[in-house]
Amino acid sequence: MKAGDVLIRFDREKIRQAGHPDTTVCVVTEEGEAAGSILYHTGMDVKAGESVVAAWR
């Protein structure tokens, strides 16, 4: 994988019409050799294709 690769696709409108929230959770289970080098941006509303949620230092 590389920066910009799509991680997940879903039909947001179909989910909303079913009465479910369309929040997506990103879970990092192990940082491996990158530990301490990843900066996480949390607790915010984001916009697809514009918002940064994690960055490499």
Side-chain angles (χ1 to χ4, degrees):
M1 294 196 86
K2 64 184 182 317
D5 285 354
V6 176
L7 299 177
I8 185 172
R9 291 184 195 271
F10 59 92
D11 187 335
R12 173 172 279 136
E13 192 54 38
K14 185 174 182 177
I15 292 169
R16 287 180 182 163
Q17 288 175 357
H20 303 295
D22 62 351
T23 302
T24 302
V25 177
C26 178
V27 177
V28 177
T29 59
E30 185 177 331
E31 295 175 328
E33 293 180 18
S37 298
I38 302 174
L39 176 63
Y40 298 101
H41 305 279
T42 62
M44 62 183 178
D45 290 330
V46 299
K47 187 168 183 180
E50 294 182 17
S51 304
V52 174
V53 295
W56 180 266
R57 294 181 195 192

